Amino acid sequence: MTTPRPTHLHRRSSSKWVPPSAPLHNPISIFRGRSNRETGSRVIRPNHLFESPRYELNNYRDFTDNRISTTKYTFWNFIPLNIWHQVSTKYANLYFIFIAILNWVPFFDAYTRYVGLIPICFVLGTTLIKDGIEDYRRYKFDNQINKKTCHVWDRDRCAFRKTEWRYILVGDFVHISNNQDVPADIILLRSSSESGTCYIETCNLDGETSLKQRMVPAKVIDYSKKDSTFKPPDFTGVVTCEKPDKSIYTIRAKVEFEPGQSDVIIKENMLLRGSRIKNTTFVEGIVVYAGHDTKVMQNNGRAPHKTSGIEKLTNKFIIACFIMLLLMVLYGAITSAVWVGQHPVDEQIPFILSNTPRPFIEGFIGIGAFFINYQLLVPISLYITVEIIKALQIYFISNDIQLYDQKSDRAIDCRSLSIPEELGTVTHVLSDKTGTLTENMMIFRNCAFDETDYGSNGSQSNPDKPVKSDELYQRILTSMQNPVQKHFFANILLNNSVVVNHIPHTDVLELGNFDGGVYNIGNSCFYDVTEEKYKQKLAAIGKGGVDDDDVSRPDELGLPTTSIQFDDRLTVIVEEDTPSDSPAPDASPRDLPETPTPTSPIYRPLSSLSSFSRKLSTVVRRSILRPISDIIPVRKRLISFKQQAMNPYEAESPDELALIEGAALYDYVLLERAATSVTISTPEKAEKRYEILLTLPFDATRKRMSVIVNSQKGPLMYCKGADSAIISRLSSDSLESKRVQDLKDHLDNYAKKGLRTLCFAMKYISKEDFEDFLDSYRFLMEDATSEREKMLSEKADELETNLKLSGVTGIEDRLQDGVPDTLRALRDAGIQVWVLTGDKLETAQNIATSSGLFHPQRSLKVIETETDAEEASESAGLNIIMSPAAIRLAQDGNAHLMEALKKAKTVLCYRMTPSEKATIVNTVKKRIKGNVLAIGDGANDVPMIQAAHVGIGIAGKEGLQAAMACDFAIARFKFLSRLLLVHGHWSYYRLANTFLYFLYKNANAVFIIFYYQFYNGASGTNIVDPIWGVIYPIIFTSVQPVVVGVLDQDYDDQTLMNKPELYVIGRENQLYTWKHFFRDVIDGIYQAAVIYYVAYLTLDNSTSSLWEMGFYIATSSILVNSGHLALQVRYWHWQLVALFSFFILFNFAFFFAECLTAAAAMVPDPPVWMPIHAMGDPRFWYYQFITVIVALCPRFTSMCLMSSLKSETSKR
């Protein structure tokens, strides 16, 4: 009996493998949330060796999984931890909580207990919501990372299965395809390349977009052979490695295959999380560090809490206010006790509602009453208002059209809502170089191989591309046989690590498979597709050629069309819900024809494919089969092919890429690079193949790279490197020649232009010398000690002598638009600019010169030793270059170096690691006491960005990690000047005045009550309406300072941009100091005395009630406070005038409403018709006029005097 055929054509299932979770009753799950509990080196056994479920594995229990979190809080600790942070960073919040609790104590006879809860709840709640939004944005980004997918070996299915990164465990065997990110730190065990090598891009780790080569350990290279039948279960080795650390350049580990047989793991065997596989079809390896244990996460960590300098100083002001409050409360309690003691206990004491048996008890009760009455001295309304002002400031910064970059379609992204005022107080800017100051784009500009300099300045229409020199082109056409010219260009093409792309790298794993008579791909099973149809379609796609009209490479590169290659040396892949008991057919090379045909349907629309493809197209359009886009290139895929075809090269160094593209302009083209040969095209020969005998890679000690090729005259060595590393190695005869002197002059001219210079040299080697060298070099390559790299470098150094100079080149590391103007503006603003780079000294110094970082009229000083630091400390305004040794001196706090850095104009640090950048930031913060802004564009800049007071990220070519970890993300470095000089200045000016205004206003309100205590027996009662007294600082006088704090301008934006020196106001904190605090508080105390005593004298010996006097005082308070604020405003507009007028009228409306409604019943002795009666008395208006004039006269007079003195000083 046959099984009935299903009626549906395909069945959809889950596209991702979700490993089973630990049962709730499983005791292991209790410890799953704990961090790594290892105490020594970790020993890792592959997970596929164990039959137990994943949640019972030792690797699951002992090590962290691959889930990451950069948030400040978790779902469970968000509310308590955030409130704790608010209390610990803003001391006033602790005081407000105390007052709210005090309001609920009946013993103190409080009458505003419910109202007293509103302000503190609003302040804590507003900040809670704001911080929650910020952290939720980080959570969403983390979630995007955690939900990325890759293939992990499942021992139950005996196949790789697609799963999310967060489910990956230490010990898992993972499969990563071309252009995919590495999900964890893994040891490379297998590659699609038979040589066991692969290429990775590490811009997320070290900021470098150039490619780096990685290789499998020596004892497992057979896994990568073409005839290998390797499957992950064949790997049974045990990995022993060190505990997780931050060093991305070192690894101490080994793989033990059998007792006595092991491989030492070096950094070239490691693929670190965040790097990307390039120019390699696939790689496989075992995970040794996951999640927060990976190198990149060890360097990054969680986002820190940042508090602005104004808020830190405000905390000190709050302490001063609290001390003042304690003194006032203590005075009131003592006075109250004395007042009660002066009257008999059996009589009604004036102003005291209920007699107490002892003065001491009355004084104790008075403490609580006075705390409640004077609570406004510590201004809770200040924090409510400031949170609103900051949010609105951020809104206007985010919508500034002048901070929008049209080319990248990016506006500024304000990721932090807490520190806009810090932008106005920056004293030091610490910047990355590559991708921040520069475009991270190298362009071939000049070259010379004789007395003539060939080059151009580029095209105005397309400055990002190299421009052909007609003079050089004609020279090449007329003298093709010139040996110097031929060797010069051969050196450029052969002596590099540039790889020619074969696009696309198609991973068979992504093409699906047949299993049990069913075609499985993505998340679907197709029942009506036979194996024969599948192979036919696969063969047709493998034959697909490239239509010259659709995809073409630039003519000047002269590259032939390449066929699409499939790599079939893969483990069988089983997708979800596919029976695993049926054998899957092996893909063989004969099933994938290699010869492309121009009529292939690969670039046709889906509708023109066969019936099988048409069935697949429906699934594609529904976004079900993502891998199918690698088989059937629809429009989006076709565009990506075009983009790749326009740039078919990938290199370890951007300099090398620029050289190859520059040489192609003159018909010297790199066609193919194999393991042992390189094929090039020259003007005289369409295809020329060189046999590579040995490559001596570049290292920082030699500063050179060499390649030895086989020639008719024997081994020929081509060498290239920095001028300092080549010129000194020339033969004595060559050094004295006029040609070499001319080339050295060209080098000097290139350096003056800020170009990156390279020298090219050559020499012939006898076969005997080369064979002796090769034997010793190979012997050193097999050495497993930590000295291996050093010995190889020294050995190569022995061979690279007596060279003959072939030529020199100048490459432009293109600066971003506006960088010199921005650096000049920052310098004029008094900001000290540092550039921190991992580049070598020559490169960094060239960029510092061309960008205008170094002031042209200032001396240059290189600091390497303590003696250099001592000499530099004796001069001011130097351009300082700090070597790695000097950086260590700075970390140790060398006194002479600190003094030199304080006096310096600009500072350049080179050869720096990511962690050293963060250390320098902390050094400047702690040792020099600077307010630091750090700016960078790569993941390697994240530690520096997070350590600084203000972190700026640039969304550039090195990924979005810096932009996600920063406080403000901008598209271009040039926007930094407007962000600091305009928005930073405005934010500082506005918030400084806002803080001072609230401190003044609340001191004014409290001292009115304090003065009244002299005349009511220190009973703690209030002179004004109690409800009005609570809502006055929150409603009546909060909106005006919000509008002023958001819109006021002491200077317009054009003035601030044209006069960077005005930034000194915030940089030196000229508006918010202890002097300003005491001045404004004393002014508030004085104005309170005027308000109270003028009212007292006006109504003395009259029949006016207490409520009527309170109405006099309340009205004059809002008039005086509004007048005080009006004197600070520099930018008036009709909306602001209307706002001031509205709240003055609203004050009258409140009293009318209170006395005419039932609200009056809430207080004893309701003041019915009181406002009408008071306003009908001329004394009311005389009082208001006199009070405002007398109260504001001192401030108005002092402001006029200061303005006059300032004008006189500016004229001089």
Side-chain angles (χ1 to χ4, degrees):
M1 183 177 177
T2 60
T3 304
R5 185 182 180 89
T7 57
H8 55 280
L9 295 180
H10 76 275
R11 174 167 56 89
R12 180 176 180 177
S13 59
S14 173
S15 61
K16 299 175 185 177
W17 174 40
V18 180
S21 302
L24 294 178
H25 62 272
N26 190 331
I28 295 179
S29 62
I30 300 175
F31 304 100
R32 191 63 198 100
R34 297 178 63 175
S35 60
N36 190 352
R37 295 177 293 159
E38 59 188 322
T39 56
S41 59
R42 55 171 59 181
V43 178
I44 302 168
R45 293 175 174 81
N47 292 334
H48 56 252
L49 299 181
F50 302 93
E51 297 183 0
S52 55
R54 288 172 66 84
Y55 55 79
E56 293 182 357
L57 296 171
N58 289 338
N59 293 335
Y60 179 92
R61 181 181 66 250
D62 294 339
F63 312 123
T64 60
D65 59 20
N66 206 40
R67 188 190 307 267
I68 66 163
S69 174
T70 60
T71 58
K72 297 178 182 179
Y73 312 100
T74 66
F75 177 80
W76 304 107
N77 68 15
F78 171 57
I79 293 179
L81 197 61
N82 183 268
I83 292 178
W84 168 253
H85 173 68
Q86 292 189 56
V87 171
S88 61
T89 57
K90 297 177 181 177
Y91 302 153
N93 285 335
L94 187 61
Y95 166 77
F96 299 144
I97 294 174
F98 167 72
I99 293 298
I101 296 173
L102 202 61
N103 274 325
W104 281 82
V105 178
F107 190 67
F108 299 121
D109 196 24
Y111 48 77
T112 56
R113 59 184 65 179
Y114 295 103
V115 179
L117 285 176
I118 297 175
I120 184 59
C121 292
F122 184 81
V123 169
L124 295 178
T126 301
T127 306
L128 197 76
I129 294 172
K130 181 202 68 176
D131 291 346
I133 293 173
E134 288 184 19
D135 223 40
Y136 181 66
R137 295 170 72 180
R138 296 188 186 94
Y139 166 77
K140 289 198 299 183
F141 179 72
D142 291 341
N143 216 27
Q144 292 176 7
I145 300 297
N146 289 328
K147 289 189 176 182
K148 285 186 176 182
T149 59
C150 78
H151 289 89
V152 177
W153 181 260
D154 179 16
R155 66 173 309 279
D156 295 331
R157 295 286 187 90
C158 293
F160 284 104
R161 303 179 69 183
K162 183 180 291 186
T163 189
E164 295 177 354
W165 282 15
R166 55 181 169 168
Y167 297 124
I168 295 175
L169 300 178
V170 170
D172 276 341
F173 210 91
V174 297
H175 176 106
I176 311 166
S177 302
N178 187 51
N179 284 327
Q180 289 185 350
D181 292 332
V182 179
D185 292 353
I186 72 173
I187 296 177
L188 177 62
L189 296 176
R190 189 184 182 211
S191 169
S192 59
S193 171
E194 286 193 82
S195 62
T197 61
C198 72
Y199 291 94
I200 61 172
E201 186 180 75
T202 60
C203 65
N204 287 334
L205 301 176
D206 53 20
E208 298 180 11
T209 55
S210 55
L211 298 188
K212 295 179 176 59
Q213 192 178 66
R214 294 292 183 262
M215 65 185 74
V216 301
K219 287 187 171 56
V220 296
I221 195 170
D222 290 342
Y223 293 170
S224 303
K225 297 298 182 182
K226 189 171 185 178
D227 56 354
S228 172
T229 60
F230 171 80
K231 292 183 179 180
D234 298 336
F235 177 76
T236 58
V238 178
V239 179
T240 304
C241 59
E242 61 186 348
K243 291 176 62 177
D245 60 36
K246 295 182 178 181
S247 175
I248 63 176
Y249 301 113
T250 60
I251 178 69
R252 288 184 289 275
K254 69 174 182 178
V255 179
E256 187 174 2
F257 302 97
E258 295 178 4
Q261 291 189 8
S262 62
D263 248 334
V264 176
I265 302 302
I266 59 178
K267 66 174 183 174
E268 283 76 15
N269 305 139
M270 292 293 298
L271 302 179
L272 300 185
R273 179 189 176 111
S275 54
R276 175 169 293 184
I277 304 301
K278 302 292 287 187
N279 206 44
T280 308
T281 303
F282 72 87
V283 296
E284 294 175 357
I286 186 171
V287 176
V288 291
Y289 301 115
H292 287 277
D293 287 345
T294 58
K295 303 284 187 180
V296 65
M297 293 306 299
Q298 287 281 311
N299 274 281
N300 290 355
R302 291 182 179 270
H305 293 283
K306 293 185 179 181
T307 305
S308 70
I310 284 184
E311 288 188 346
K312 292 177 181 177
L313 188 55
T314 300
N315 282 336
K316 298 178 181 178
F317 293 166
I318 293 301
I319 294 175
C321 290
F322 187 71
I323 293 174
M324 191 186 307
L325 174 65
L326 289 177
L327 295 176
M328 294 169 65
V329 169
L330 184 61
Y331 170 80
I334 295 174
T335 305
S336 177
V338 172
W339 176 263
V340 171
Q342 291 177 347
H343 295 80
V345 178
D346 55 350
E347 295 182 5
Q348 179 65 40
I349 304 175
F351 306 108
I352 303 298
L353 297 180
S354 58
N355 291 349
T356 53
R358 297 179 183 177
F360 172 78
I361 296 178
E362 181 62 30
F364 179 76
I365 296 174
I367 291 176
F370 285 119
F371 260 118
I372 294 173
N373 278 331
Y374 299 155
Q375 60 181 290
L376 291 180
L377 188 60
V378 179
I380 191 169
S381 56
L382 168 64
Y383 291 96
I384 301 173
T385 305
V386 164
E387 292 296 336
I388 297 173
I389 290 175
K390 287 184 178 182
L392 292 175
Q393 285 180 347
I394 292 297
Y395 171 79
F396 284 111
I397 294 175
S398 301
N399 287 274
D400 186 351
I401 192 63
Q402 296 189 50
L403 296 179
Y404 168 76
D405 180 52
Q406 186 175 6
K407 185 177 180 180
S408 62
D409 191 28
R410 289 186 181 275
I412 184 173
D413 182 13
C414 302
R415 305 191 60 79
S416 174
L417 306 179
S418 304
I419 54 172
E421 67 273 27
E422 285 290 88
L423 295 170
T425 61
V426 173
T427 60
H428 294 74
V429 169
L430 274 63
S431 173
D432 176 44
K433 181 190 74 68
T434 305
T436 302
L437 299 180
T438 67
E439 292 279 11
N440 204 7
M441 180 188 302
M442 307 299 175
I443 305 171
F444 184 89
R445 289 300 184 208
N446 294 76
C447 71
F449 46 84
D450 51 22
E451 69 278 358
T452 306
D453 174 24
Y454 303 101
S456 62
N457 295 324
S459 169
Q460 293 183 354
S461 60
N462 193 356
D464 298 339
K465 296 293 182 182
V467 177
K468 182 187 297 183
S469 168
D470 294 333
E471 183 182 5
L472 177 57
Y473 191 67
Q474 291 300 321
R475 164 73 185 273
I476 291 173
L477 293 178
T478 57
S479 58
M480 293 184 184
Q481 302 302 321
N482 185 325
V484 175
Q485 171 188 301
K486 291 172 63 177
H487 284 301
F488 173 65
F489 280 102
N491 198 336
I492 291 178
L493 296 180
L494 302 178
N495 191 12
N496 56 65
S497 60
V498 177
V499 178
V500 183
N501 277 324
H502 295 281
I503 56 173
H505 290 277
T506 305
D507 194 341
V508 171
L509 184 148
E510 301 287 352
L511 302 183
N513 67 285
F514 259 84
D515 197 349
V518 179
Y519 172 61
N520 301 274
I521 183 171
N523 58 348
S524 295
C525 304
F526 290 84
Y527 294 93
D528 60 343
V529 178
T530 64
E531 184 174 356
E532 182 180 358
K533 283 185 178 181
Y534 167 68
K535 290 185 176 181
Q536 289 176 355
K537 176 51 56 182
L538 201 61
I541 293 174
K543 292 180 180 180
V546 180
D547 192 313
D548 293 336
D549 294 334
D550 289 338
V551 179
S552 61
R553 294 192 174 95
D555 293 338
E556 62 268 20
L557 295 180
L559 292 173
T561 301
T562 57
S563 61
I564 297 177
Q565 313 251 336
F566 295 101
D567 196 305
D568 61 322
R569 298 174 294 103
L570 296 170
T571 307
V572 175
I573 188 73
V574 178
E575 293 295 342
E576 280 31 37
D577 291 351
T578 305
S580 59
D581 52 354
S582 301
D586 295 331
S588 63
R590 63 177 179 272
D591 294 329
L592 303 174
E594 298 177 355
T595 307
T597 63
T599 58
S600 169
I602 188 169
Y603 292 117
R604 297 178 187 174
L606 287 173
S607 59
S608 67
L609 299 178
S610 64
S611 59
F612 164 52
S613 296
R614 283 197 296 272
K615 293 171 184 176
L616 289 181
S617 68
T618 303
V619 188
V620 172
R621 291 190 181 107
R622 293 177 182 172
S623 300
I624 296 175
L625 302 180
R626 276 194 127 9
I628 204 68
S629 63
D630 291 332
I631 311 176
I632 307 173
V634 291
R635 179 172 178 80
K636 182 176 181 181
R637 184 67 175 173
L638 178 60
I639 293 174
S640 69
F641 284 177
K642 288 183 178 180
Q643 291 171 343
Q644 286 183 312
M646 293 298 290
N647 186 10
Y649 299 120
E650 292 181 358
E652 292 188 16
S653 166
D655 300 73
E656 294 179 342
L657 190 60
L659 290 170
I660 294 297
E661 292 176 342
L665 296 174
Y666 306 100
D667 297 333
Y668 285 93
V669 182
L670 175 64
L671 298 180
E672 183 182 6
R673 179 177 298 278
T676 59
S677 66
V678 176
T679 305
I680 67 173
S681 171
T682 68
E684 60 177 334
K685 194 171 183 179
E687 188 172 305
K688 188 174 182 179
R689 183 176 175 273
Y690 286 84
E691 180 186 0
I692 304 297
L693 301 178
L694 182 64
T695 298
L696 304 177
F698 175 88
D699 65 67
T701 303
R702 289 166 41 241
K703 299 181 180 179
R704 294 182 300 275
M705 176 181 179
S706 297
V707 61
I708 303 173
V709 301
N710 197 8
S711 72
Q712 295 179 353
K713 297 182 180 180
L716 169 61
M717 182 173 72
Y718 287 121
C719 183
K720 73 172 181 183
D723 53 354
S724 60
I726 298 293
I727 300 296
S728 61
R729 298 249 153 198
L730 299 180
S731 63
S732 56
D733 296 339
S734 177
L735 272 174
E736 297 174 358
S737 67
K738 181 179 181 302
R739 175 176 167 274
V740 172
Q741 295 303 319
D742 291 337
L743 291 177
K744 290 172 68 176
D745 291 339
H746 294 321
L747 275 177
D748 294 337
N749 292 331
Y750 297 164
K752 291 177 182 178
K753 293 180 182 179
L755 301 180
R756 299 161 65 100
T757 58
L758 281 175
C759 292
F760 295 82
M762 57 169 285
K763 83 167 184 178
Y764 286 99
I765 309 171
S766 66
K767 290 185 179 180
E768 295 78 11
D769 291 343
F770 175 71
E771 289 175 357
D772 291 341
F773 175 84
L774 186 60
D775 290 339
S776 57
Y777 194 80
R778 285 176 174 171
F779 175 78
L780 293 176
M781 288 188 69
E782 296 176 358
D783 187 85
T785 66
S786 58
E787 298 293 318
R788 172 177 174 269
E789 299 297 329
K790 181 180 179 182
M791 291 188 293
L792 287 173
S793 177
E794 292 174 349
K795 191 63 182 177
D797 201 58
E798 296 176 5
L799 191 65
E800 295 167 332
T801 57
N802 295 319
L803 303 174
K804 180 181 179 180
L805 189 63
S806 301
V808 296
T809 60
I811 300 173
E812 178 187 6
D813 188 358
R814 180 173 168 79
L815 288 173
Q816 289 189 16
D817 294 337
V819 167
D821 293 337
T822 301
L823 292 176
R824 190 180 307 111
L826 296 178
R827 205 165 46 230
D828 292 343
I831 299 174
Q832 191 182 76
V833 182
W834 294 41
V835 171
L836 314 179
T837 178
D839 287 336
K840 56 187 178 181
L841 174 60
E842 296 84 358
T843 302
Q845 190 170 350
N846 288 341
I847 291 299
T849 302
S850 61
S851 66
L853 172 69
F854 286 161
H855 196 289
Q857 299 177 354
R858 303 286 183 174
S859 300
L860 180 65
K861 178 66 177 178
V862 179
I863 299 179
E864 296 183 346
T865 64
E866 291 189 37
T867 304
D868 296 332
E870 186 174 356
E871 294 174 357
S873 65
E874 298 174 357
S875 303
L878 295 176
N879 296 319
I880 289 180
I881 297 178
M882 291 177 61
S883 68
I887 292 171
R888 288 189 287 274
L889 287 177
Q891 295 171 1
D892 296 336
N894 182 273
H896 293 298
L897 181 56
M898 292 299 105
E899 185 65 24
L901 294 176
K902 290 178 182 179
K903 296 179 179 180
K905 198 70 176 178
T906 52
V907 180
L908 172 66
C909 303
Y910 63 95
R911 287 298 184 197
M912 299 196 68
T913 65
S915 58
E916 286 177 338
K917 290 182 178 181
T919 304
I920 283 294
V921 169
N922 289 321
T923 300
V924 176
K925 288 168 60 178
K926 297 176 182 178
R927 305 280 186 180
I928 305 181
K929 306 299 181 183
N931 201 46
V932 180
L933 179 147
I935 179 170
D937 71 321
N940 59 315
D941 300 316
V942 170
M944 171 179 72
I945 288 172
Q946 291 184 336
H949 293 104
V950 182
I952 305 290
I954 294 182
K957 298 180 181 179
E958 297 183 14
L960 296 176
Q961 279 73 11
M964 293 300 299
C966 66
D967 303 306
F968 302 89
I970 57 179
R972 312 288 287 179
F973 183 81
K974 65 180 180 181
F975 295 147
L976 185 62
S977 58
R978 181 173 179 84
L979 185 61
L980 296 186
L981 303 185
V982 177
H983 291 291
H985 173 85
W986 280 345
S987 296
Y988 168 78
Y989 166 78
R990 292 162 176 170
L991 284 173
N993 285 332
T994 299
F995 273 95
L996 290 174
Y997 174 73
F998 272 89
L999 292 169
Y1000 141 79
K1001 179 172 64 71
N1002 285 31
N1004 177 265
V1006 167
F1007 270 87
I1008 291 175
I1009 303 173
F1010 179 74
Y1011 294 138
Y1012 178 56
Q1013 303 309 307
F1014 296 147
Y1015 302 95
N1016 68 357
S1019 61
T1021 55
N1022 201 337
I1023 187 64
V1024 296
D1025 183 284
I1027 297 177
W1028 182 92
V1030 172
I1031 66 175
Y1032 171 74
I1034 301 174
I1035 297 178
F1036 288 101
T1037 55
S1038 284
V1039 179
Q1040 303 95 310
V1042 167
V1043 176
V1044 173
V1046 173
L1047 300 178
D1048 195 27
Q1049 301 174 11
D1050 55 341
Y1051 300 98
D1052 60 68
D1053 58 341
Q1054 289 299 323
T1055 302
L1056 291 172
M1057 289 297 291
N1058 295 332
K1059 296 182 178 180
E1061 58 272 13
L1062 293 174
Y1063 190 78
V1064 69
I1065 296 173
R1067 180 172 56 83
E1068 295 184 355
N1069 193 23
Q1070 295 181 358
L1071 299 181
Y1072 198 67
T1073 62
W1074 282 101
K1075 178 186 70 175
H1076 294 87
F1077 167 72
F1078 285 117
R1079 182 198 65 187
D1080 282 54
V1081 169
I1082 292 173
D1083 194 18
I1085 296 172
Y1086 161 75
Q1087 291 181 17
V1090 172
I1091 292 172
Y1092 180 81
Y1093 283 105
V1094 172
Y1096 178 81
L1097 296 174
T1098 300
L1099 300 178
D1100 190 27
N1101 297 322
S1102 69
T1103 59
S1104 299
S1105 66
L1106 179 65
W1107 291 110
E1108 193 169 343
M1109 185 176 179
F1111 178 60
Y1112 272 64
I1113 291 175
T1115 304
S1116 62
S1117 293
I1118 194 169
L1119 291 175
V1120 170
N1121 292 165
S1122 298
H1124 183 100
L1125 181 61
L1127 290 176
Q1128 294 183 352
V1129 174
R1130 294 292 176 270
Y1131 175 51
W1132 281 98
H1133 43 86
W1134 70 265
Q1135 294 94 335
L1136 189 59
V1137 175
L1139 186 68
F1140 274 73
S1141 303
F1142 170 78
F1143 278 99
I1144 292 174
L1145 296 175
F1146 183 64
N1147 176 76
F1148 292 102
F1150 169 82
F1151 283 101
F1152 275 100
E1154 185 185 35
C1155 72
L1156 296 177
T1157 61
M1162 295 175 59
V1163 296
D1165 189 20
V1168 179
W1169 302 112
M1170 178 271 299
I1172 298 177
H1173 180 268
M1175 293 172 65
D1177 191 339
R1179 290 180 301 176
F1180 176 80
W1181 303 105
Y1182 297 153
Y1183 162 74
Q1184 304 300 336
F1185 179 77
I1186 295 172
T1187 301
V1188 171
I1189 297 298
V1190 175
L1192 298 180
C1193 184
R1195 173 164 288 267
F1196 179 76
T1197 303
S1198 63
M1199 291 178 67
C1200 291
L1201 291 174
M1202 292 298 295
S1203 179
S1204 299
L1205 292 174
K1206 186 177 180 181
S1207 299
E1208 290 294 330
T1209 304
S1210 61
K1211 288 179 182 179
R1212 295 175 185 174

